[in-house]
Amino acid sequence: MDPIGLALENFDAVGAWRAKDAGLPVDAVGKMFDGTKLDGPVSLRQAILSHSDAFIQTFTENLLAYALGRVVDYRDEPMVRSIERNAAAENNRFSSYVLGIVKSMPFQMRRADGGAASL
């Protein structure tokens, strides 16, 4: 199972806190890849902070992949590192990641899918 998802299990679909689901107590306990126990949002925050480099790299790669509409591969890693460096200089603001991606060559040079039907 996804330990990050389990750590946030107390939140329902609209973000309200719940202690029970279908009358049963919510089990929000999981374990990270390194054995760190997760049992809710507080422990999840601590785990992310202790692995901030990996979190930032994964976040940047996934945001870039979403923006490009394709999987990020080894050829994109210099751009990922550049976006990370520029965002770090801006105190890792979300907007600095978005702007870094929008200004990146892979984003600006991407091509539209030729198979999409016109309306």
Side-chain angles (χ1 to χ4, degrees):
M1 293 296 295
D2 176 22
I4 292 174
L6 288 173
L8 299 173
E9 190 67 21
N10 284 105
F11 294 103
D12 68 9
V14 295
W17 185 263
R18 63 188 179 159
K20 293 187 176 194
D21 183 29
L24 300 172
V26 173
D27 181 13
V29 177
K31 195 183 297 187
M32 294 281 289
F33 64 92
D34 65 351
T36 303
K37 181 182 174 187
L38 299 178
D39 58 4
V42 174
S43 62
L44 176 59
R45 180 180 188 274
Q46 284 305 114
I48 289 172
L49 288 173
S50 67
H51 299 290
S52 61
D53 290 345
F55 177 82
I56 287 172
Q57 181 180 0
T58 302
F59 171 76
T60 307
E61 288 172 349
N62 283 306
L63 193 61
L64 182 60
Y66 180 78
L68 297 176
R70 64 172 175 78
V71 175
V72 174
D73 65 17
Y74 70 94
R75 294 169 290 196
D76 298 306
E77 287 305 316
M79 184 55 57
V80 168
R81 289 189 298 272
S82 174
I83 292 167
E84 288 175 15
R85 276 192 307 275
N86 293 337
E90 298 290 326
N91 202 26
N92 288 321
R93 296 177 59 93
F94 180 73
S95 60
S96 61
Y97 289 95
V98 173
L99 287 173
I101 288 170
V102 170
K103 293 178 181 180
S104 72
M105 189 183 320
F107 183 80
Q108 291 186 0
M109 301 297 287
R110 75 192 189 292
R111 293 189 287 181
D113 182 17
S118 299
L119 295 178

